[in-house]
């Protein structure tokens, strides 16, 4: 089966990266072999030599991710964090990077505690569009954004960032990286808006079943791809064939899962926004009242807001804790993007390590609750939110 240029997302999700074996298996077999036969020295009989360098299952997944991100090239890693690490390892010593302030904590940790040790210095800003021109230096090599942000769901205009880089760092080869984990390729394709690399913790929506830790990136820049592919092999932070196979299987239903989660999430967000008595504020990119809704209209498929919501409950940390312990269907756990609904209290869980002042400056108050809407029945989820809110605020 050859995909056509005109094939839409769902067709690509099912068929991209398809691999037909000698038996004509409709579902690809899992190729566990670590090494591959050669007919004479240095002449492999097929395209594979050694499984760290390339493996059929990883290659299928990489092709599928690239197709969904409108990219020519994809690479898979052992985790989202290993993907980040490999990209940052590609920077020359003495480079400077600019990152949005409220990136994923692990990305922040890598920038400040690992990349700095090999001479990469990073500037963080909570107002990238304003600050970027002043932050760009002669040695700036990379700009990192995450949109929407975690857990306050601020949306960044990717095209505007790309234009600023072109204007203020012309000829400097600054790479714009977008972490698209929160939306998945179904809702947004950052490469269409001028990003050079799009990255995902595929642990979340792409695999979607909370049973694999894996990372991917996609790009249209061939020299960049070749450099990162070299590092993928040289560093060796690759996923196992089984994890690549599972993630490829999960990816085939990405469009169904993400759309359903977004359909439920907008109903839940609208309900929370209407409950002025118990809710202080709601962050959800699908709400027309979201401060960056104009960007959502431009950057997100069908103005979908995704499956992530955060909201501030009345009654402070105590009410947040009570709410988090009162749901029936939403499981209290970190992570997101799976078929099952999850919730957490960022101030004491995912963002607990950030000093209170810095945390609150980016909107992470003690009363903030983050929910990852799964694909259970919409009405059941809404009922669960309503009853937990009643318990927590009564
Ligand atoms: N990027 C984002 C936005 C994340 O939420 C995470 C993990 O939570 C990562 C990257 C890191 O991915 P992983 O946990 O697969 O290493």
């Amino acid at each position: 089966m050859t995909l056509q240029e005109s094939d839409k997302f769902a067709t690509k999700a099912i068929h991209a990266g398809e691999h037909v074996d000698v038996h004509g298996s409709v579902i690809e077999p899992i190729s566990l072999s670590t090494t591959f036969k050669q007919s004479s020295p240095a002449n492999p009989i097929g395209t594979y030599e050694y499984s760290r360098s390339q493996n059929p299952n990883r290659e299928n997944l990489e092709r599928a991710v690239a197709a969904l991100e409108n990219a020519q090239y994809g690479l898979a890693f052992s985790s989202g964090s290993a993907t980040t690490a490999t990209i940052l390892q590609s920077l020359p010593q003495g480079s400077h990077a600019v990152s949005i302030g409220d990136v994923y904590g692990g990305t922040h940790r890598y920038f400040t505690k690992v990349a700095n040790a090999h001479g990469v210095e990073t500037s963080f800003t909570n107002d990238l569009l304003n600050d970027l021109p002043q932050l760009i230096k002669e040695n700036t090599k990379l700009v990192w954004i995450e949109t929407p942000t975690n857990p306050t769901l601020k949306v960044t205009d990717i095209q505007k960032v790309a234009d600023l880089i072109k204007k203020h760092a012309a000829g400097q080869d600054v790479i714009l990286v977008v972490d698209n984990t929160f939306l998945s390729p179904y809702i947004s394709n950052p490469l269409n808006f001028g990003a050079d690399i799009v990255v995902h913790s595929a642990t979340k929506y792409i695999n979607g079943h909370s049973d694999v830790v894996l990372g991917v990136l996609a790009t249209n820049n061939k020299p960049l791809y070749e450099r990162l592919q070299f590092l993928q092999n040289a560093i060796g932070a690759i996923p196992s064939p089984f994890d690549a196979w599972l993630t490829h299987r999960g990816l085939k239903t990405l469009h169904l899962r993400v759309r359903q989660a977004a359909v439920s999430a907008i109903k839940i967000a609208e309900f929370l926004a209407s409950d002025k008595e118990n809710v202080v504020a709601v962050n959800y990119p699908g709400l027309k009242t979201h401060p960056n809704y104009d960007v959502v209209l431009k950057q997100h498929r069908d103005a979908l807001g995704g499956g992530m919501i955060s909201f501030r409950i009345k009654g402070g940390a105590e009410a947040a804790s009570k709410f988090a312990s009162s749901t029936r269907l939403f499981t209290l756990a970190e992570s997101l993007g799976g078929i099952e609904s999850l919730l957490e209290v960022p101030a004491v869980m995912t963002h607990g390590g950030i000093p209170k002042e810095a945390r609150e400056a980016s909107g992470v108050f003690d009363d903030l609750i983050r929910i990852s809407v799964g694909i259970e029945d919409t009405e059941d989820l809404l009922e669960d939110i309503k009853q937990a809110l009643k318990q927590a605020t009564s």
Side-chain angles (χ1 to χ4, degrees):
M1 217 277 315
T2 315
L3 280 168
Q4 296 175 358
E5 192 81 8
S6 58
D7 285 329
K8 312 285 186 304
F9 191 96
T11 307
K12 288 198 265 183
I14 303 295
H15 294 292
E18 213 165 58
H19 171 104
V20 179
D21 71 342
V22 288
H23 309 295
S25 310
V26 171
I27 295 301
E28 69 214 34
I30 301 174
S31 180
L32 294 174
S33 187
T34 54
T35 190
F36 297 84
K37 263 188 203 159
Q38 311 205 3
S39 51
S40 59
N43 270 321
I45 62 166
T47 53
Y48 308 104
E49 273 178 59
Y50 183 61
S51 200
R52 169 164 41 75
S53 313
Q54 191 48 292
N55 161 282
N57 299 107
R58 194 171 94 219
E59 186 176 68
N60 297 340
L61 171 65
E62 290 173 342
R63 285 195 183 146
V65 169
L68 298 191
E69 281 291 9
N70 299 332
Q72 274 176 282
Y73 313 105
L75 290 169
F77 298 86
S78 52
S79 66
S81 304
T83 314
T84 305
T86 306
I87 293 170
L88 296 182
Q89 280 288 330
S90 75
L91 300 179
Q93 209 175 20
S95 301
H96 172 247
V98 180
S99 168
I100 55 154
D102 43 1
V103 273
Y104 167 63
T107 306
H108 189 274
R109 182 174 56 205
Y110 200 91
F111 273 125
T112 54
K113 301 218 159 70
V114 187
N116 64 340
H118 77 261
V120 174
E121 173 218 353
T122 308
S123 308
F124 295 93
T125 167
N126 283 326
D127 192 356
L128 188 69
L129 288 179
N130 237 339
D131 297 347
L132 190 58
Q134 294 84 264
L135 289 174
I136 287 176
K137 306 197 230 177
E138 266 179 17
N139 59 340
T140 303
K141 294 282 175 218
L142 176 140
V143 175
W144 189 287
I145 58 181
E146 206 175 290
T147 175
T149 55
N150 174 22
T152 50
L153 301 155
K154 296 178 197 103
V155 176
T156 301
D157 190 323
I158 300 166
Q159 188 68 62
K160 278 195 180 155
V161 179
D163 290 346
L164 281 177
I165 293 172
K166 255 192 214 133
K167 185 165 171 206
H168 297 276
Q172 234 173 278
D173 283 340
V174 177
I175 305 163
L176 174 58
V177 184
V178 177
D179 186 332
N180 195 25
T181 299
F182 264 44
L183 292 180
S184 90
Y186 180 65
I187 295 189
S188 185
N189 293 124
L191 301 182
N192 294 2
F193 301 99
D196 299 295
I197 304 177
V198 53
V199 301
H200 289 272
S201 167
T203 314
K204 313 299 181 327
Y205 286 103
I206 290 184
N207 177 58
H209 293 74
S210 307
D211 49 14
V212 176
V213 173
L214 193 144
V216 290
L217 68 80
T219 182
N220 280 315
N221 181 324
K222 194 170 183 206
L224 206 50
Y225 164 69
E226 285 170 350
R227 172 86 183 128
L228 293 166
Q229 188 188 36
F230 168 81
L231 289 173
Q232 180 196 41
N233 180 49
I235 297 172
I238 45 111
S240 73
F242 184 52
D243 282 352
W245 184 90
L246 269 178
T247 305
H248 193 188
R249 180 168 80 161
L251 171 150
K252 289 169 196 263
T253 54
L254 179 67
H255 50 297
L256 303 176
R257 291 183 282 104
V258 170
R259 182 165 272 281
Q260 178 57 32
V263 162
S264 294
I266 183 71
K267 296 224 164 104
I268 293 169
E270 279 170 350
F271 161 73
L272 290 169
S274 71
D275 188 352
K276 307 276 185 245
E277 207 178 304
N278 300 310
V279 175
V280 180
V282 183
N283 305 311
Y284 182 63
L287 286 175
K288 293 192 173 70
T289 50
H290 188 282
N292 314 120
Y293 194 67
D294 57 327
V295 186
V296 171
L297 287 174
K298 186 167 77 168
Q299 234 163 244
H300 295 200
R301 180 192 298 269
D302 302 336
L304 291 172
M308 300 300 295
I309 307 171
S310 64
F311 68 99
R312 294 183 63 193
I313 192 168
K314 279 198 183 149
E318 201 184 321
S321 172
K322 184 100 190 283
F323 180 93
S325 318
S326 303
T327 49
R328 180 177 71 92
L329 298 173
F330 286 82
T331 301
L332 179 57
E334 295 186 4
S335 201
L336 60 118
I339 49 173
E340 64 292 310
S341 295
L342 301 178
L343 90 166
E344 64 127 357
V345 180
V348 289
M349 295 172 69
T350 49
H351 294 63
I354 307 172
K356 189 175 166 88
E357 207 173 289
R359 179 161 60 69
E360 293 194 341
S362 60
V364 186
F365 296 95
D366 292 349
D367 56 10
L368 190 78
I369 294 160
R370 184 188 84 175
I371 66 179
S372 169
V373 179
I375 59 168
E376 299 92 338
D377 182 84
T378 307
E379 286 307 310
D380 291 344
L381 292 177
L382 197 53
E383 278 313 306
D384 196 25
I385 294 288
K386 287 182 184 172
Q387 69 78 22
L389 208 50
K390 210 182 240 172
Q391 285 198 57
T393 54
S394 62

